[in-house]
């Protein structure tokens, strides 16, 4: 069978035949039919905006792979920093490479004193940590004027390292500011995830972080590290396409992540469970969702039309965390919601399954994070995904500045009307 597609313009009878590779054809071939012909694809439902070798998803089968490695294997056997190296470089590090990478990240965790004293201290006492995070990332770039030299060999690698190393420090700083707690400096003797939990929650000299909770944090970081062309990554790529520095692009990507339809869904999901309040209210809640009153937060996905593999791993890990912290009382409501939804035709027919955000909030809450920190916890590990795509885009000769066309549906030309003649 020919691996081509033939498109005929019935207005002119002209036709063009284009090869199909891996289920994709170059729609720019339409220009041969008519240079003014546009494809209308709001929200990119059928558009591949780039070629990428970072992450593979098969939404029908519930498959997620980073650089070819199944997420289940990485979740079980790897660490976040090793996965970060894999995403950035395409291959798992050998022992020496991992040692150097870990050392380098560990030794770039500090941030300039002015960031805390002058920048973060300027926020209102109840500022949302995600709003602080987004602005802090953009502000951080101003401390490194060379961050604009994105094509100078080695210069971009330094910014990538800085961002991955410093995001946990910034996140913890935003949290401690909002709690009125003294800032805790990074500890170079700790792992990435242990150091983050320590900077977040340390209250006295005898504070220790339970290794089981460090492991859970690291697992959550692995699961959130990349997810191909989602809304945040698309924002990252669009801004990067103008050759803006990685700090500015990441601030835009974080802003996209902030929304409740994207990374903000974990916050929305926990708020929803609180609102439901009891197992007895689950059936009526589902009924009201079906009647169009809001959505079941943490359910559904643009790509997954099967169980989100990350949700399956998180659901299992939740029990390991609850063994240490005690069960989150919201778990029973979540389990019941899932059970009712997955046996309801509304959700079955629309292929709506739990996504990564359905159970992650329960673990975050059990770990002691306030709800408004949840999206920040998503942004920390997604940093490496965003930067992997930033790097990939800059090296892709097929890319140009992002500039979609539009379908103009406004009024045609008309003459200016003086104010005293307007209705
Ligand atoms: N609850 C109830 N109905 C839903 C839901 C939901 N969570 N999600 C989709 N639907 C319905 C929707 O109303 C529509 O029904 P109909 O065909 O009758 O109009 C149908 O399912 C298709 O929905 P859609 O909005 O066209 O699907 P989409 O691919 O544009 O949206 C989504 C994907 C994730 C934005 C959406 O499922 C949603 O809003 N989910 C809740 C928010 C959420 O959990 N977001 C986290 C996504 S995973 C983490 C991440 O990558 O950010």
């Amino acid at each position: 069978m020919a691996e081509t597609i033939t498109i005929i313009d019935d207005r002119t009878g002209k036709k063009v035949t284009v090869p199909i590779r891996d289920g994709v054809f170059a729609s720019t071939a339409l220009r041969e039919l008519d240079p003014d012909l546009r494809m209308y694809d709001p929200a990119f439902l059928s558009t591949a905006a780039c070629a990428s070798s970072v992450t593979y998803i098969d939404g029908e089968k519930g498959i997620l792979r980073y650089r070819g490695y199944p997420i289940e294997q990485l979740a079980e056997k790897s660490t976040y920093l090793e996965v970060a190296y894999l995403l950035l470089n395409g291959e798992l590090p050998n022992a020496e490479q991992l040692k150097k990478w870990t050392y380098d990240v560990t030794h770039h965790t500090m941030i300039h004193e002015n960031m805390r004293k002058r920048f973060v201290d300027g926020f209102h006492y109840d500022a949302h940590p995600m709003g602080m995070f987004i602005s802090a990332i953009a502000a951080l770039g101003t401390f490194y004027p060379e961050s604009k030299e994105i094509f100078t060999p080695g210069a971009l690698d330094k910014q990538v390292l800085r961002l991955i190393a410093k995001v946990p420090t910034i996140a913890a700083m935003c949290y401690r500011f909002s709690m009125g707690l003294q800032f805790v400096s990074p500890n170079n003797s700790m792992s990435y995830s242990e150091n983050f939990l320590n900077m977040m929650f340390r209250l006295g000299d005898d504070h220790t972080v339970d290794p089981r909770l460090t492991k859970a944090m690291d697992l959550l970081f692995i699961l959130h590290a990349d997810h191909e062309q989602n809304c945040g990554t698309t924002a990252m790529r669009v801004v990067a396409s103008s050759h803006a520095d990685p700090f500015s692009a990441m601030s835009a990507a974080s802003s996209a992540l902030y929304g409740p339809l994207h990374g903000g869904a974990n916050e929305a999901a926990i708020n929803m469970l609180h609102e439901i309040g009891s197992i007895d209210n689950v059936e009526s809640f589902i009924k009201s969702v079906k009647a169009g009153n809001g959505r079941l937060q943490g359910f559904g996905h643009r790509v997954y039309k099967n169980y989100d593999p990350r949700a399956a791993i998180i659901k299992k890990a939740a029990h390991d965390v609850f063994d240490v912290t005690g069960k989150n009382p919201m778990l029973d409501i979540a389990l019941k919601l899932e059970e009712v939804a997955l046996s309801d035709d509304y959700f079955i027919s629309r292929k709506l399954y739990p996504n990564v955000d359905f159970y992650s909030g329960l673990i975050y809450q059990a770990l002691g994070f306030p709800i408004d920190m949840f999206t920040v916890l998503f942004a920390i590990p997604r940093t490496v995904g965003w930067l992997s795509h930033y790097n990939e885009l800059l090296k892709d000769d097929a890319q140009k500045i992002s500039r979609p066309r539009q379908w103009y549906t406004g009024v045609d030309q008309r003459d200016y009307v003086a104010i005293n003649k307007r209705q």
Side-chain angles (χ1 to χ4, degrees):
M1 195 175 57
E3 283 289 298
T4 55
I5 184 166
T6 297
I7 304 152
I8 301 170
D9 185 340
D10 291 325
R11 298 169 305 171
T12 59
K14 276 196 204 169
K15 68 177 180 181
V16 65
T17 299
V18 198
I20 301 176
R21 220 180 112 198
D22 300 331
V24 179
F25 74 94
S27 53
T28 41
L30 289 175
R31 287 185 186 180
E32 289 176 32
L33 301 178
D34 174 355
D36 291 327
L37 200 58
R38 307 266 176 266
M39 288 180 313
Y40 177 59
D41 184 12
F44 311 117
L45 291 177
S46 313
T47 297
C50 64
S52 178
S53 60
V54 181
T55 289
Y56 174 78
I57 300 177
D58 183 327
E60 291 296 330
K61 296 192 183 128
I63 292 174
L64 168 63
R65 297 182 199 133
Y66 295 161
R67 301 284 190 184
Y69 293 103
I71 192 66
E72 293 80 5
Q73 290 182 24
L74 294 170
E76 189 192 333
K77 298 177 179 163
S78 192
T79 62
Y80 172 67
L81 277 192
E82 189 178 61
V83 165
Y85 185 100
L86 169 70
L87 285 167
L88 284 168
N89 299 289
E91 296 296 338
L92 285 167
N94 62 28
E96 202 179 311
Q97 288 165 329
L98 182 61
K99 195 169 159 204
K100 181 174 182 328
W101 168 241
T102 306
Y103 179 90
D104 287 347
V105 172
T106 308
H107 288 81
H108 282 85
T109 47
M110 301 290 259
I111 50 170
H112 197 288
E113 265 296 279
N114 280 353
M115 273 297 287
R116 182 179 64 82
K117 284 200 182 136
R118 303 202 169 179
F119 185 77
V120 172
D121 279 1
F123 280 101
H124 200 49
Y125 73 95
D126 62 351
H128 193 291
M130 193 59 189
M132 294 167 79
F133 181 87
I134 291 166
S135 353
I137 294 298
L140 190 64
T142 66
F143 287 83
Y144 308 108
E146 72 280 15
S147 64
K148 310 226 165 302
E149 296 166 23
I150 56 175
F151 294 110
T152 306
L156 180 57
D157 294 343
K158 190 73 181 280
Q159 310 314 331
V160 167
L161 182 63
R162 281 183 173 136
L163 276 162
I164 292 169
K166 292 181 201 308
V167 279
T169 315
I170 289 176
M173 192 174 65
C174 296
Y175 165 73
R176 293 194 74 104
F177 170 79
S178 63
M179 298 297 287
L181 292 168
Q182 210 173 24
F183 178 55
V184 175
S185 293
N187 183 330
N188 290 355
S189 69
M190 293 179 173
S191 74
Y192 191 83
S193 297
E194 183 185 11
N195 177 47
F196 173 57
L197 290 173
N198 187 57
M199 287 190 292
M200 282 288 303
F201 299 122
R202 188 175 191 84
L203 286 176
D205 289 344
D206 55 350
H207 179 91
T208 53
V209 183
D210 189 305
R212 291 169 292 179
L213 301 186
T214 300
K215 194 163 182 290
M217 192 75 253
D218 212 60
L219 172 72
L220 286 159
F221 282 170
I222 292 172
L223 298 179
H224 287 87
D226 193 49
H227 212 233
E228 52 116 308
Q229 311 308 319
N230 53 81
C231 181
T233 303
T234 300
M236 184 83 186
R237 278 180 169 269
V238 169
V239 177
S241 79
S242 75
H243 295 173
D245 68 85
F247 293 86
S248 306
M250 221 190 95
S251 166
S254 315
S255 303
L257 187 73
Y258 196 1
L261 295 187
H262 192 8
N266 50 22
E267 188 174 335
I270 267 294
N271 285 333
M272 172 190 77
L273 294 176
H274 279 286
E275 193 191 312
I276 295 170
S278 145
I279 286 191
D280 301 338
N281 300 331
V282 165
E283 305 265 1
S284 58
F285 182 80
I286 292 279
K287 217 183 230 178
S288 83
V289 167
K290 284 163 58 182
N293 302 319
R295 292 196 160 187
L296 184 49
Q297 296 299 332
F299 252 70
H301 200 275
R302 171 64 57 78
V303 181
Y304 292 121
K305 300 302 168 195
N306 193 324
Y307 214 97
D308 179 340
R310 302 168 299 173
I313 297 169
I314 290 181
K315 189 175 171 186
K316 205 161 144 255
H319 294 287
D320 300 339
V321 171
F322 298 156
D323 284 346
V324 184
T325 62
K327 193 172 85 175
N328 187 325
M330 298 291 136
L331 176 67
D332 291 334
I333 302 176
L335 288 170
K336 182 75 183 166
L337 257 185
E338 181 185 340
E339 183 196 315
V340 174
L342 294 187
S343 56
D344 189 301
D345 190 54
Y346 175 95
F347 295 90
I348 296 169
S349 62
R350 289 171 179 79
K351 299 189 177 176
L352 301 170
Y353 291 89
N355 60 49
V356 69
D357 291 321
F358 193 66
Y359 286 107
S360 61
L362 291 171
I363 303 193
Y364 293 150
Q365 211 174 35
L367 288 170
F369 291 100
I371 293 173
D372 58 9
M373 272 297 286
F374 289 5
T375 313
V376 179
L377 296 172
F378 196 150
I380 294 171
R382 185 52 59 86
T383 298
V384 74
W386 289 329
L387 292 168
S388 302
H389 286 274
Y390 184 98
N391 281 343
E392 189 175 66
L393 177 124
L394 292 188
K395 289 182 190 143
D396 183 349
D397 290 339
Q399 290 294 339
K400 290 172 179 285
I401 186 167
S402 283
R403 206 306 181 186
R405 305 305 296 257
Q406 67 166 7
W407 171 13
Y408 178 69
T409 56
V411 291
D412 208 348
Q413 181 177 326
R414 50 184 166 168
D415 290 326
Y416 182 79
V417 181
I419 195 154
N420 58 347
K421 301 238 167 88
R422 289 178 215 160
Q423 298 216 325

